[in-house]
Amino acid sequence: SAVISQKPSRDICQRGTSLTIQCQVDSQVTMMFWYRQQPGQSLTLIATANQGSEATYESGFVIDKFPISRPNLTFSTLTVSNMSPEDSSIYLCSVERTAGYTFGSGTRLTVV
Amino acid sequence: GQQVMQIPQYQHVQEGEDFTTYCNSSTTLSNIQWYKQRPGGHPVFLIQLVKSGEVKKQKRLTFQFGEAKKNSSLHITATQTTDVGTYFCAGAAGNKLTFGGGTRVLVKP
């Protein structure tokens, strides 16, 4: 199955700042998915990132807050902008496989 | 929008006992997937069910997909301490995967 390298694995950030999370996949994929997992909660899809086009955002998530880049078929970034403590979560990227999805190891973000 | 509900939210199991977690979707699914997330880890794919009424087994884990393709279950027999974690079902409709709330499993030795 695919190997996804996600970084940083964790960070503590000041409110009002931004953090960019990177995901590198070991093979080319059409779509990459970004999820948020709030403490003790399930996974919520933020957006789908397609190479060569704008990301598609789910209800409740906007590009100004979570800008996404997808410069090629193996890489994507998610930026959490103008952070507040409510953004403290685990952020995960994911790609679809023949069966199921593979997830990156996650970025544990704490906003203080 | 599509909703996926999972019960129970927590499952405290004595080592060696069996338990079942259930998943229900508000809409018909093209497939249902199950994931396990260990404490501090990320979700790891376990299995995908596609056909109505499908049953699949992985060692002590038995997965079922309902006839209407709207519900699923995961049954674990002879629970071991290695089964600790949160089990998520995720319903697929098109390219979108919607996760259930998860069942957090705690094993009492």
Side-chain angles (χ1 to χ4, degrees), chain B residues 13-21 36 38 46-47 55-64 73-85 87 105 107:
Chain B
V13 191
Q14 191 73 45
E15 191 173 11
E17 292 185 341
D18 303 351
F19 75 90
T20 303
T21 174
K36 178 182 179 181
R38 294 183 184 274
L46 294 176
I47 208 158
V55 178
K56 287 188 177 180
K57 291 190 176 184
Q58 286 181 351
K59 297 182 180 178
R60 295 178 294 102
L61 278 60
T62 301
F63 303 84
Q64 291 188 322
S73 65
L74 160 60
H75 182 77
I76 298 182
T77 58
T79 304
Q80 300 176 358
T81 55
T82 54
D83 295 324
V84 165
Y87 293 82
V105 176
V107 179

Side-chain angles (χ1 to χ4, degrees), chain B residues 32-105:
Chain B
I32 195 153
Q33 301 170 25
W34 286 88
Y35 293 80
K36 178 182 179 181
Q37 185 174 26
R38 294 183 184 274
H42 58 278
V44 174
F45 174 73
L46 294 176
I47 208 158
Q48 176 174 291
L49 303 170
V50 179
K51 299 176 183 176
S52 170
E54 189 170 15
V55 178
K56 287 188 177 180
K57 291 190 176 184
Q58 286 181 351
K59 297 182 180 178
R60 295 178 294 102
L61 278 60
T62 301
F63 303 84
Q64 291 188 322
F65 200 10
E67 295 291 339
K69 300 184 72 172
K70 294 179 71 174
N71 62 287
S72 181
S73 65
L74 160 60
H75 182 77
I76 298 182
T77 58
T79 304
Q80 300 176 358
T81 55
T82 54
D83 295 324
V84 165
T86 302
Y87 293 82
F88 291 100
C89 64
N95 285 326
K96 188 174 293 188
L97 201 61
T98 302
F99 280 80
T103 295
R104 182 171 293 182
V105 176

Side-chain angles (χ1 to χ4, degrees), chain A residues 96-111:
Chain A
E96 186 176 12
R97 282 299 168 227
T98 305
Y101 288 70
T102 297
F103 286 84
S105 54
T107 297
R108 186 177 296 268
L109 170 63
T110 303
V111 183

Side-chain angles (χ1 to χ4, degrees), chain A residues 11-24:
Chain A
D11 208 341
I12 301 173
C13 300
Q14 296 291 323
R15 66 180 68 200
T17 63
S18 298
L19 175 71
T20 296
I21 302 166
Q22 301 179 5
C23 274
Q24 178 76 49

Side-chain angles (χ1 to χ4, degrees), chain A residues 20 22 35-36 39-43 45 56 64 66 76 84-85 92 109:
Chain A
T20 296
Q22 301 179 5
Y35 286 86
R36 182 176 72 183
Q41 302 297 312
S42 184
L43 286 80
L45 182 64
T56 304
D64 289 346
F66 298 101
S76 180
S84 67
L92 300 125
L109 170 63

